[in-house]
Amino acid sequence: MKKLILVYFLLATSIIFGQKITIKGTAINSKINRIPVFVTLNDTINKYDSSRNFNQDKYESLFLDKNYNTWTNKKNKFKIRAKLTDSLTFSSPSQISESYLISDLISENKIIIQLKTELCKEYIACEDNNPKLYVFIGKKLNINYGVSDNYCDVISLSTKYNARFKIIENLYGDYQNDTMKFVAYEHGGNGDASFAEYEYAILYVAEYCGKLIKLRYLDNEVYKTKNGKWATPFKKLNYRKLDSVKIKQPEIIEFEKDLIYKFDRRADSIWLERKYPKPYYQIKGVKAKAIYGYYANDILEVMKKTILKSKGFFE
């Protein structure tokens, strides 16, 4: 009889611990209450981020999967499904992450997680007046959110990204390794870095006080051409002084695959002229086909005389 009771107990325990239950509670960023707290099941995101088999698409899919992650709402409330054997990790900018077993959380009358603020550090400005510049064609390996430094007297309004690219071709600076890890600071309108959508891009990275930092919002999407070179489609908004005789004009490029950009059928003529001007693009219906562009070395020469010059390089 004792053996039978033990068998029933073990079966009941396995069923209970194998089932998912809804966990509700409150999680608070103690420094800035309105900043949401990220809640992840079994620290899935961080574990996958550091795995050898990292894949950017899978990472983004995991990040958006509500079965693994959620955010607190405007009232600092969260809700997520989990097993009793699972754990939850709570994290938020400038806060120390905390992890709890579900079995411990449900033993409380109310689940209230008050994260502790990280110790801040003094901000010391980099006074490198002659940073080294690297320009290269890179293939995206991964771009992830980075943990911003918690300075005592400086508040950053930018999102930090940690990026890793494979070096396909050095254009300037002769970076020695076959891959580069660098940091980018940007105001991601939809949460993504401005260059995250490109598989291949020309990147402009400067070394400031020993740290590799991407020049803000400076990159060119590139694609293979039929003659085996790399080229970028013409973007009118990027260059304000292309009528200058000193700057090379864009030319007709035969891309290996047609570059087609779709746009909303409600787009007005003024927007189209700015975004996809003729004759640089061929408009058909709600699609714009890139006709003109620059080869990689040519766009670098344009950048040297315009944007890079304005940033203190190539004066």
Side-chain angles (χ1 to χ4, degrees):
M1 186 66 180
K2 289 183 178 179
K3 289 184 178 180
L4 188 60
I5 293 173
L6 178 60
V7 170
Y8 280 130
F9 174 77
L10 292 174
L11 284 173
T13 301
S14 64
I15 292 173
I16 292 172
F17 278 82
Q19 290 180 338
K20 283 193 173 184
I21 58 175
T22 299
I23 306 298
K24 298 180 181 179
T26 301
I28 303 168
N29 180 314
S30 58
K31 184 177 182 180
I32 305 177
N33 184 273
R34 66 178 180 275
I35 292 181
V37 173
F38 184 59
V39 185
T40 183
L41 189 69
N42 299 322
D43 203 20
T44 304
I45 291 296
N46 285 331
K47 288 178 180 177
Y48 186 72
D49 186 23
S50 58
S51 70
R52 292 183 177 180
N53 300 319
F54 182 91
N55 176 275
Q56 183 70 22
D57 291 335
K58 187 174 181 180
Y59 176 86
E60 292 174 1
S61 178
L62 277 174
F63 189 83
L64 298 173
D65 193 335
K66 293 183 179 179
N67 291 315
Y68 293 98
N69 313 287
T70 189
W71 294 88
T72 52
N73 60 23
K74 292 181 180 179
K75 296 182 179 180
N76 304 119
K77 304 292 184 182
F78 72 89
K79 180 172 67 173
I80 193 169
R81 300 270 295 169
K83 298 177 183 178
L84 290 177
T85 52
D86 289 332
S87 65
L88 292 182
T89 297
F90 301 84
S91 56
S92 192
S94 76
Q95 303 290 284
I96 300 173
S97 298
E98 296 181 8
S99 297
Y100 297 90
L101 292 172
I102 297 296
S103 55
D104 291 336
L105 288 174
I106 63 173
S107 66
E108 303 292 331
N109 291 329
K110 291 183 179 180
I111 299 175
I112 301 176
I113 307 299
Q114 181 87 40
L115 295 177
K116 297 179 177 63
T117 300
E118 296 175 337
L119 294 176
C120 64
K121 57 183 178 181
E122 181 185 359
Y123 175 75
I124 300 176
C126 173
E127 297 182 358
D128 191 342
N129 296 321
N130 189 29
K132 188 169 184 178
L133 177 67
Y134 298 104
V135 183
F136 61 91
I137 297 172
K139 179 181 180 181
K140 179 179 67 176
L141 297 178
N142 58 274
I143 301 173
N144 304 324
Y145 286 102
V147 178
S148 297
D149 294 316
N150 183 31
Y151 295 114
C152 301
D153 51 355
V154 174
I155 297 176
S156 174
L157 299 178
S158 298
T159 301
K160 179 181 178 181
Y161 300 94
N162 294 321
R164 186 164 67 97
F165 275 71
K166 180 179 179 180
I167 307 294
I168 302 300
E169 181 182 337
N170 279 307
L171 300 178
Y172 184 85
D174 194 25
Y175 189 72
Q176 294 299 307
N177 296 330
D178 59 356
T179 60
M180 179 188 283
K181 292 182 179 180
F182 59 86
V183 171
Y185 295 94
E186 298 188 350
H187 294 285
N190 61 351
D192 295 327
S194 65
F195 58 102
E197 62 183 293
Y198 309 137
E199 183 179 6
Y200 294 92
I202 298 177
L203 298 164
Y204 304 80
V205 179
E207 186 172 352
Y208 292 98
C209 298
K211 296 181 180 179
L212 294 171
I213 301 175
K214 178 182 174 293
L215 299 185
R216 194 183 293 259
Y217 302 119
L218 192 52
D219 46 73
N220 308 105
E221 56 181 304
V222 289
Y223 304 90
K224 272 287 189 179
T225 63
K226 289 183 178 180
N227 60 7
K229 296 182 180 181
W230 291 94
T232 183
F234 173 69
K235 296 292 180 70
K236 183 178 180 180
L237 295 179
N238 290 351
Y239 321 113
R240 304 293 184 183
K241 301 178 180 179
L242 285 179
D243 56 338
S244 171
V245 295
K246 296 181 180 180
I247 297 176
K248 180 178 174 60
Q249 297 298 297
E251 61 185 286
I252 294 176
I253 302 287
E254 291 190 43
F255 290 98
E256 201 172 71
K257 296 180 180 179
D258 288 345
L259 298 187
I260 305 295
Y261 301 89
K262 293 182 179 181
F263 54 86
D264 195 304
R265 63 178 64 255
R266 295 170 295 181
D268 60 40
S269 58
I270 296 176
W271 181 87
L272 279 175
E273 177 57 29
R274 295 182 66 213
K275 186 75 173 178
Y276 304 116
K278 297 178 182 179
Y280 308 107
Y281 289 84
Q282 184 182 80
I283 307 296
K284 188 175 182 180
V286 293
K287 297 179 180 178
K289 177 183 175 182
I291 304 297
Y292 283 73
Y294 288 96
Y295 288 108
N297 286 311
D298 291 334
I299 193 63
L300 174 57
E301 291 305 311
V302 172
M303 291 296 186
K304 285 180 180 179
K305 297 174 182 178
T306 55
I307 299 176
L308 290 174
K309 184 177 180 180
S310 71
K311 292 181 179 292
F313 299 97
F314 307 106
E315 291 187 80

